[in-house]
Amino acid sequence: MKHAIIERLTSAGHLDRIFIDGEWVRAEGQARAAVTDPSSEDVVAEIALGSRQDVAAAVAAARAAFAGWSVSSIQSRTALLDRVHQLILERAELFAEAISLEMGAAISVARSAQVPAGAAHIRVACDVMSRYPFVSQRDGITIAREAIGVCGLITPWNWPLYQITAKVGPALAAGCTVVLKPSELSPFSALLFAQVMQDAGAPPGVFNLVNGDGPEVGAALAEHPDVDMISITGSTRAGVLVAQAAAVTVKRVAQELGGKSPNVILPDADFARAVPAGVAAAFRNVGQSCSAPTRMIVPRERLAEVEQIARDAVARLVVGDPRSVQTTHGPVANRAQFNRVQDMIGVGIDEGARLVCGGPGRPAGLERGFYVRPTIFSDVHPKMRIAQEEIFGPVLSIIAYDSVDEAVAIANDTIYGLGAHVQGRDLDAARAVAARIRAGQVHINYPAWNAHAPFGGYKHSGNGREYGLEGLEEYLETKAILEHGEE
């Protein structure tokens, strides 16, 4: 089957090239990576993978461009990012089609969430930059916040555009230059984004893209002495490896890593609303979100009621062809993830958790593609692997509690601390529970997503923050200037 997005990228020559110093160039290495449509398991394209030599060329271009870009005016940076934002909106359908093809997102989700949220990060970066006090006075000291330098940005496959803009936007707003390594598993939206940067008029070297895998390109970025900062979103294992490689050159490392987020439903919550919304949040993007609330922690006396509401919510989901507007949930993104989810469903059964719905295998009628049955377990003990390990698929664990103190203890009984949810009619009580949960972002009663809200984790979920004001500050150094006037 031919795909319009592949034909577009092929005709532009982008599948065979990387973007360095304002130009599309051939990669020095000969390696290629197959890109698979997760809905059919068919290989739809091959992309060129960069090498360490390509990383070196991209870093050199970014270093040369840094001298000018770091002292450019706020107005010029705003003008560039405004053009980037507008081009993303103009090409929204192209991005949606690319994301649906490369990682299986339902086209309705790509259109309504993946692309708009990606565009929002660029807009917010502009908003924050325009108001930010890059130079301020405090106690007779001049405080200057300056761009940290050349930044290596490593992004994952699950929210491909969204994660790119969450890093590129604030990095460029801060005055940094960047080398982006997107996931080789979902490269199409990254190639489209590089074209946006070129068409928006990014000065040569300010933005560079090198496709590649972690052991080659990711490691080369982390180790490179002329890279001043690495920002990575990915698994905790990948984050540790990058931090170890970066330690030799003492560069800053910002990590947004794994999660096993709790959703504490308090006894006074509106269960008819809280439970279906909790299922939807856990299964958003087919469960492939690091902050997905995949542990639903509920009062024991309401357990049977919760199970029935959750079962009914899953029955309303439509799993199928991601390009159909009726589909709510497409396949998981790749074979490795499909195998991981299937293995963990088996682990849950073997551990003695009780299936509420779903289970192993593909949904009925879907014999090909990386489709997973939306699965809910109950009678889950907090120490079970399915309650402790990040599965990254549509698998929800329901855990019962006997007191609010126990609910908080269960919520915090994890190596992760990225996100959390709390549901309850009494807002003061809900806020008190939120204050006790060790996580970087807590949602009370399912508020709307806000691109200004800082996002990042405690514990093994990483360090540093993205989005909004704090996201900009990750890319800044602090300089104190003290003066003594001449007598």
Side-chain angles (χ1 to χ4, degrees), residues 6-59:
I6 300 299
E7 293 178 349
R8 181 185 179 94
L9 292 170
T10 300
S11 65
H14 294 168
L15 293 175
D16 295 326
R17 296 176 184 264
I18 55 182
F19 188 74
I20 296 177
D21 206 17
E23 301 288 342
W24 291 94
V25 299
R26 292 197 178 275
E28 289 291 328
Q30 300 302 310
R32 296 289 185 270
V35 184
T36 300
D37 176 355
S39 70
S40 66
E41 304 181 46
D42 293 333
V43 173
V44 294
E46 285 192 343
I47 61 164
L49 296 183
S51 64
R52 288 178 176 269
Q53 291 85 354
D54 297 306
V55 170
V59 172

Side-chain angles (χ1 to χ4, degrees), residues 279 283 310-311 314 354-358 374-378 394 396 398:
V279 171
F283 291 172
R311 187 183 296 112
V314 169
R354 177 167 49 85
L355 275 172
V356 173
C357 59
T375 297
I376 297 178
F377 285 102
S378 191
L396 173 66
I398 299 176

Side-chain angles (χ1 to χ4, degrees), residues 78-153:
T78 298
L80 174 63
L81 291 176
D82 278 343
R83 291 193 295 271
V84 170
H85 182 251
Q86 186 59 39
L87 285 172
I88 291 174
L89 296 180
E90 289 175 7
R91 301 174 188 180
E93 185 61 20
L94 282 174
F95 278 107
E97 291 173 5
I99 292 166
S100 185
L101 176 60
E102 68 191 352
M103 56 81 61
I107 191 66
S108 59
V109 174
R111 289 168 176 160
S112 65
Q114 291 260 7
V115 177
H121 285 308
I122 300 294
R123 175 183 53 77
V124 166
C126 278
D127 292 345
V128 173
M129 171 180 55
S130 67
R131 304 191 302 266
Y132 191 76
F134 287 94
V135 179
S136 60
Q137 300 290 324
R138 188 179 72 223
D139 300 326
I141 305 164
T142 299
I143 307 295
R145 303 301 305 275
E146 300 177 344
I148 194 170
V150 174
C151 299
L153 311 178

Side-chain angles (χ1 to χ4, degrees), residues 220-266:
L221 272 175
E223 296 167 0
H224 202 293
D226 277 341
V227 172
D228 301 289
M229 174 180 171
I230 289 285
S231 176
I232 177 174
T233 297
S235 68
T236 298
R237 175 181 174 276
V240 169
L241 292 173
V242 164
Q244 289 172 335
V248 178
T249 51
V250 201
K251 55 174 58 74
R252 183 180 298 175
V253 179
Q255 304 162 310
E256 194 263 278
L257 307 176
K260 194 69 179 177
S261 299
N263 186 359
V264 178
I265 301 183
L266 296 173

Side-chain angles (χ1 to χ4, degrees), residues 395-421:
V395 181
L396 173 66
S397 294
I398 299 176
I399 305 171
Y401 68 84
D402 293 306
S403 69
V404 171
D405 285 343
E406 184 187 11
V408 172
I410 293 169
N412 287 330
D413 184 14
T414 172
I415 62 172
Y416 298 111
L418 189 57
H421 288 247

Side-chain angles (χ1 to χ4, degrees), residues 408-467:
V408 172
I410 293 169
N412 287 330
D413 184 14
T414 172
I415 62 172
Y416 298 111
L418 189 57
H421 288 247
V422 180
Q423 320 306 325
R425 287 189 173 95
D426 183 337
L427 278 179
D428 287 338
R431 289 169 184 147
V433 170
R436 297 170 64 189
I437 295 176
R438 299 281 294 170
Q441 192 175 91
V442 185
H443 292 203
I444 298 176
N445 294 332
Y446 307 113
W449 178 73
N450 188 326
H452 280 279
F455 182 69
Y458 290 24
K459 300 185 280 187
H460 287 207
S461 288
N463 55 69
R465 292 295 180 268
E466 294 190 301
Y467 314 169

